[in-house]
Amino acid sequence: MSRGSAQDPAQSGTQNTVYNIRSNRQAQGTGHGPPGEDPPLSVGPQRAERPLPSDPGTPGKDPADSPKPTAKSSLTANLIQKAKRPNNTFPLFAEGLTRTRPAQEKILALEQQVLMLTKELKSQKELVRILHKALEAAQQEKRASSAYLAAAEDKDRLELVRHKVRQIAELGKRVEALERERESLVQAAGLREQQVQELQRHVQLLLEKNQAKQQVICKLSEKVTRDFTHPPTQPPVPPGAADRDFLSQQEKMEHLKDDMEAYRTQNRFLNSEIHQVTKIWRRVAENEKALLMKCAYLQAKNCQVESKYLAGLRRLQEAAGGEATESSELLRQLTQEALQWEAGEASADGVELSPISEYDEYGFLTVPNYEMEDLKLLAKIQALEVHSHHLLAHEAVERPLRERWAALGDLAPSVELKQLLRAGVPREHRPRVWKWLVQLRVRHLQSPGHYQELLSRGQVREHPAARQIELDLNRTFPNNKHFTCPTSTFPDKLRRVLLAFSWQNPTIGYCQGLNRLAAIALLVLEEEESAFWCLVAIVETIMPADYYSKTLTSSQVDQRVLQDLLLEKLPRLMAHLGQYRVDLSFLTFNWFLVVFADSLISNILLRVWDAFLYEGTKVVFRYALAIFKYNEEEILRLQDGLEIYQYLRFFTKTICNSQKLMTIAFNDMNPFPMKQLRQLRRAHRERLEAELHELEQLKAEYLETRSSWGPAVPDGCTSEDEGEGEA
């Protein structure tokens, strides 16, 4: 790097700055004022554009180059002398001005000229300041470049580069800190805006009350004045009685005036009291909100500590094994106490915490009842982690998301809607959003009364798949109270939905897994017909053809596509699993068939479905890859094939952070083009169909060979028919 190159950016920046300022001044000087403006007012920019000669002998010299600035009085006198001379370049000071316009207008014009020159001087000072800054930056860059060139060894130059890198890192940290401060200020400004709006509403209410009081007082005053000026007709009274009535009326008016003044004073006092009480109430509300947030944060931390405690107990149990010692008995007792203890039991003094409830908002058990003791401990750890993540994300993530959904209005396909669906739909908006998403998929299939027609068709004669549907009803979500409670109506609804679909699509009829798809739709939509059309949308429009057929061709193809994507996105994990000959299809086949209905906790599962109903099967691939990425390090630590299989049986239930999983699925897994997915599906379908064709040929050859063997019973053997007459 040469010295000239070090100075070039600063010089170019300085020239650009000077050029921009001069161009702005020229644009101001050559601009035309409004039609009704007085011509002397437009002289200032034109006079400010021309340099003022400080020396008659040097007419081209700029005032900025002169050693001393011109005094204000001499500058004004000079302008007056120039104004008296005829000059064609300044139409303001034409000969007609000295003849027709009065002296007062000349003075105003000159004052305007002085004002514009003052502004020009300020702009010149600002330019000088900018040039100084640019010069300092150029000098600093020059010093750094000189030090870099003057360094004797590469080590010194490397140290200079490292110093610059450290400076860049410090500036980056400062930028991040300023960004965080800006975000906090934006949040504070939003809170202040809400407070101001609330205060405005309160002030408006008080003004309305005050206005009503003033109207009442004015009406009373008018009535008193009217009664005084136009007294009611009464029989004539003696003069003494009339004087007494007049005096009593005056006395009453004085009392009324005193009462009005007292009411005004009382009104002002009450208004001030209301204002003070409102301030106190607002302060108390803010303190209460801060305390609730702090309580939620502490409770989340408590859940995390408890989950770490349970995880420690579980690891100690694994380390102790099955040995019957005092320590193992102590571990067993501690585990039982930890599983039975609830945060709600420990709350005292009427403090209401939000303990982990037995069921979530969709009826799933928050702590599944596993038979094995270590799995019970794992389920409690998972429930605590989910609860802590929910408490910590409520204010930072959930509340802004709910506000965005509340402000969305009518639904229409857009990039914003896509991002909102990926982030998850709040529970109060999910039925409406899902109905709209299903309507987009099946509007060409719907007709009025179609669902009822399918149900009536099933009442006439029984469908062949009815028996299999009846068997699978009792196996649908055994951890959900809506499908296990004897008095629940959900099993009957699910039966009717599945029977209607078996008549809707006779080529499929019923396939194992459809009961769980329809059950998820029922839990969210609650209406039978809406759940039926949701099932139709998934099977007939979202999933590829033959996905739920007898051969499950498309399902097998997707498993092979997933293997290719895993090799591309997670090569370390696939190499580790290949070392121990672990086949993932035994696990992932069910993921794709029921869209994770049996694998993920409901909080994460329904967020997957939010995006799946809008974007299609690409979401299933994204989340399948994200689940393995989420637990990649845990799987890599396992060094035995049996341990890996045991871990893969329940590892999806250990995923608690829905925000982290969503980030992995839609950010870390990019790029994820749909074109690549179609190409992989096409290639694997061709291979699979070729394999199936080859298998059919082998089967036909075997049957042909077997038929050529002769009778089924060899000579010397007795057939079953020959022994029928014997006892």
Side-chain angles (χ1 to χ4, degrees):
M1 180 184 296
S2 64
R3 296 183 180 179
S5 61
Q7 293 176 0
D8 289 340
Q11 290 176 357
S12 61
T14 305
Q15 293 172 0
N16 290 334
T17 305
V18 174
Y19 177 76
N20 291 332
I21 294 175
R22 287 183 175 177
S23 61
N24 291 335
R25 297 208 319 265
Q26 289 173 2
Q28 294 176 0
T30 57
H32 297 283
E37 190 177 359
D38 197 5
L41 298 179
S42 63
V43 172
Q46 296 177 1
R47 288 288 294 172
E49 190 62 30
R50 285 184 171 273
L52 292 175
S54 59
D55 188 4
T58 58
K61 192 174 181 181
D62 197 345
D65 300 331
S66 61
K68 293 183 180 180
T70 308
K72 190 171 182 180
S73 59
S74 61
L75 180 62
T76 306
N78 192 10
L79 287 172
I80 293 172
Q81 290 176 2
K82 287 189 175 184
K84 292 180 179 180
R85 299 197 206 109
N87 194 343
N88 294 329
T89 59
F90 296 110
L92 174 65
F93 300 107
E95 294 180 358
L97 179 64
T98 58
R99 298 175 183 175
T100 59
R101 296 188 180 268
Q104 186 177 1
E105 292 185 3
K106 297 179 185 178
I107 294 173
L108 289 175
L110 292 175
E111 289 178 353
Q112 182 70 18
Q113 182 70 14
V114 171
L115 181 61
M116 294 306 297
L117 288 174
T118 306
K119 290 182 180 179
E120 176 68 17
L121 182 60
K122 288 182 180 179
S123 65
Q124 292 291 339
K125 289 181 179 179
E126 182 66 21
L127 174 61
V128 170
R129 188 178 65 82
I130 294 172
L131 291 175
H132 276 300
K133 286 187 177 180
L135 182 60
E136 289 177 1
Q139 289 176 350
Q140 186 176 0
E141 184 69 24
K142 178 181 177 182
R143 286 195 295 271
S145 302
S146 300
Y148 181 81
L149 293 173
E153 299 180 358
D154 292 340
K155 181 175 66 176
D156 297 334
R157 296 182 179 180
L158 183 59
E159 184 61 30
L160 289 173
V161 172
R162 287 176 178 171
H163 179 66
K164 286 293 183 182
V165 170
R166 286 194 295 270
Q167 287 181 347
I168 293 171
E170 290 176 0
L171 290 174
K173 291 179 181 178
R174 288 182 61 189
V175 169
E176 292 177 358
L178 291 173
E179 184 65 23
R180 290 194 296 269
E181 184 179 358
R182 186 187 67 80
E183 292 176 357
S184 64
L185 289 175
V186 169
Q187 294 177 358
L191 184 60
R192 293 292 183 188
E193 184 66 24
Q194 293 177 0
Q195 293 176 357
V196 168
Q197 292 178 358
E198 184 180 354
L199 282 174
Q200 288 177 349
R201 289 193 297 268
H202 189 66
V203 168
Q204 184 65 28
L205 181 61
L206 292 177
L207 288 175
E208 290 176 357
K209 289 183 178 179
N210 193 12
Q211 186 177 3
K213 291 179 181 179
Q214 294 293 341
Q215 289 177 357
V216 172
I217 292 171
C218 290
K219 288 181 180 178
L220 291 175
S221 302
E222 291 175 358
K223 183 180 179 183
V224 169
T225 305
R226 189 168 54 253
D227 291 343
F228 179 73
T229 54
H230 302 286
T233 57
Q234 294 179 354
V237 294
D243 293 339
R244 285 195 301 271
D245 289 340
F246 179 73
L247 293 175
S248 63
Q249 290 291 339
Q250 280 188 337
E251 187 176 356
K252 287 180 181 179
M253 284 189 64
E254 293 295 332
H255 286 310
L256 287 173
K257 289 180 180 178
D258 293 339
D259 291 341
M260 287 174 60
E261 189 63 30
Y263 282 137
R264 289 195 183 96
T265 305
Q266 185 180 6
N267 192 16
R268 286 194 295 269
F269 174 74
L270 289 176
N271 287 338
S272 64
E273 288 294 319
I274 291 172
H275 180 65
Q276 294 297 328
V277 169
T278 305
K279 287 175 63 178
I280 294 172
W281 172 80
R282 187 174 294 107
R283 193 179 302 114
V284 169
E286 291 176 357
N287 292 336
E288 182 183 4
K289 183 179 179 181
L291 288 174
L292 287 175
M293 291 178 62
K294 186 176 181 180
C295 181
Y297 175 77
L298 292 175
Q299 191 178 359
K301 288 296 182 184
N302 179 57
C303 289
Q304 292 178 357
V305 171
E306 187 179 353
S307 66
K308 291 177 182 177
Y309 169 68
L310 293 177
L313 288 179
R314 184 168 176 270
R315 290 178 181 176
L316 287 174
Q317 280 183 339
E318 293 175 353
E323 300 177 359
T325 60
E326 294 182 1
S327 60
S328 62
E329 181 64 22
L330 178 61
L331 281 174
R332 190 182 65 79
Q333 292 178 1
L334 291 174
T335 304
Q336 291 293 334
E337 292 175 0
L339 289 174
Q340 294 173 1
W341 183 84
E342 290 292 340
E345 299 173 0
S347 61
D349 299 331
V351 179
E352 293 186 2
L353 300 176
S354 55
I356 301 175
S357 59
E358 185 179 1
Y359 295 95
D360 65 5
E361 53 191 3
Y362 289 99
F364 289 96
L365 277 172
T366 53
V367 184
N369 189 16
Y370 296 122
E371 295 180 359
M372 298 178 62
E373 195 68 27
D374 58 341
L375 291 182
K376 287 183 179 179
L377 195 59
L378 184 66
K380 184 63 180 291
I381 293 171
Q382 179 230 354
L384 289 168
E385 288 290 334
V386 171
H387 192 56
S388 65
H389 282 297
H390 174 71
L391 290 172
L392 290 174
H394 180 70
E395 289 295 328
V397 179
E398 296 294 333
R399 187 183 295 275
L401 184 62
R402 291 176 186 274
E403 292 175 355
R404 289 180 65 187
W405 274 106
L408 187 60
D410 295 335
L411 297 175
S414 63
V415 177
E416 181 186 8
L417 179 63
K418 181 179 178 181
Q419 297 300 325
L420 285 175
L421 289 170
R422 288 181 174 185
V425 184
R427 186 176 187 272
E428 61 269 20
H429 298 285
R430 186 166 277 138
R432 176 177 68 94
V433 174
W434 278 28
K435 286 180 182 178
W436 179 80
L437 293 173
V438 170
Q439 179 70 19
L440 283 181
R441 299 278 184 179
V442 299
R443 64 177 61 175
H444 62 288
L445 300 173
Q446 284 182 323
S447 61
H450 183 67
Y451 178 68
Q452 298 300 328
E453 180 185 349
L454 294 174
L455 289 179
S456 60
R457 191 183 305 176
Q459 292 175 357
V460 174
R461 62 190 181 93
E462 186 178 11
H463 195 278
R467 184 179 178 185
Q468 186 62 41
I469 290 173
E470 202 65 34
L471 290 174
D472 283 352
L473 282 179
N474 296 326
R475 293 182 291 199
T476 304
F477 294 141
N479 289 325
N480 190 289
K481 66 180 180 180
H482 295 300
F483 294 98
T484 55
C485 180
T487 60
S488 175
T489 60
F490 276 82
D492 293 333
K493 293 181 180 179
L494 181 61
R495 180 188 295 110
R496 288 191 290 270
V497 169
L498 293 175
L499 286 173
F501 181 80
S502 65
W503 291 105
Q504 162 73 18
N505 194 330
T507 59
I508 297 175
Y510 176 75
C511 175
Q512 286 188 350
L514 296 183
N515 59 324
R516 282 161 285 182
L517 295 176
I520 292 294
L522 270 175
L523 288 173
V524 175
L525 300 172
E526 297 184 357
E527 299 176 3
E528 285 183 38
E529 187 170 358
S530 299
F532 165 75
W533 287 115
C534 183
L535 183 61
V536 171
I538 293 172
V539 177
E540 297 188 7
T541 64
I542 297 179
M543 291 299 192
D546 300 332
Y547 216 86
Y548 298 95
S549 63
K550 293 181 180 180
T551 59
L552 299 173
T553 305
S554 297
S555 301
Q556 297 183 56
V557 169
D558 276 359
Q559 294 306 305
R560 300 187 180 192
V561 172
L562 179 63
Q563 291 289 327
D564 289 351
L565 294 174
L566 284 169
L567 288 170
E568 177 189 348
K569 304 286 185 181
L570 302 172
R572 268 202 320 150
L573 178 65
M574 292 305 292
H576 181 72
L577 295 176
Q579 181 182 356
Y580 296 100
R581 300 180 182 276
V582 176
D583 184 13
L584 295 178
S585 61
F586 85 97
L587 175 72
T588 58
F589 194 87
N590 188 58
W591 288 3
F592 280 70
L593 206 63
V594 298
V595 196
F596 304 104
D598 291 333
S599 307
L600 299 172
I601 60 174
S602 62
N603 182 35
I604 300 177
L605 171 66
L606 295 175
R607 294 191 177 206
V608 174
W609 276 55
D610 293 336
F612 164 72
L613 291 176
Y614 185 70
E615 299 184 51
T617 52
K618 185 167 68 171
V619 173
V620 185
F621 283 100
R622 280 185 177 273
Y623 271 100
L625 295 171
I627 288 171
F628 285 111
K629 181 65 176 178
Y630 190 100
N631 298 274
E632 182 179 16
E633 298 301 326
E634 292 291 334
I635 299 174
L636 290 175
R637 277 196 284 268
L638 301 176
Q639 300 297 324
D640 181 72
L642 181 60
E643 288 184 6
I644 294 175
Y645 274 112
Q646 289 177 346
Y647 179 74
L648 293 179
R649 280 192 309 113
F650 61 84
F651 83 114
T652 55
K653 297 292 185 180
T654 63
I655 299 175
C656 309
N657 194 340
S658 59
Q659 189 69 24
K660 178 181 175 182
L661 185 66
M662 186 266 291
T663 303
I664 295 174
F666 294 108
N667 295 335
D668 297 354
M669 290 298 111
N670 284 334
F672 205 93
M674 194 64 189
K675 181 180 179 181
Q676 178 190 7
L677 194 60
R678 292 194 190 97
Q679 291 174 350
L680 290 173
R681 276 176 166 169
R682 192 181 305 112
H684 283 294
R685 177 176 282 276
E686 292 175 358
R687 295 193 193 100
L688 181 61
E689 289 176 349
E691 292 173 5
L692 292 175
H693 181 67
E694 183 180 356
L695 186 62
E696 289 295 330
Q697 287 181 345
L698 292 174
K699 183 179 178 181
E701 291 174 1
Y702 170 73
L703 293 175
E704 184 179 354
T705 304
R706 184 174 178 179
S707 64
S708 64
W709 288 347
V713 181
D715 296 338
C717 296
T718 304
S719 68
E720 296 178 356
D721 296 335
E722 293 176 359
E724 286 182 356
E726 300 178 1

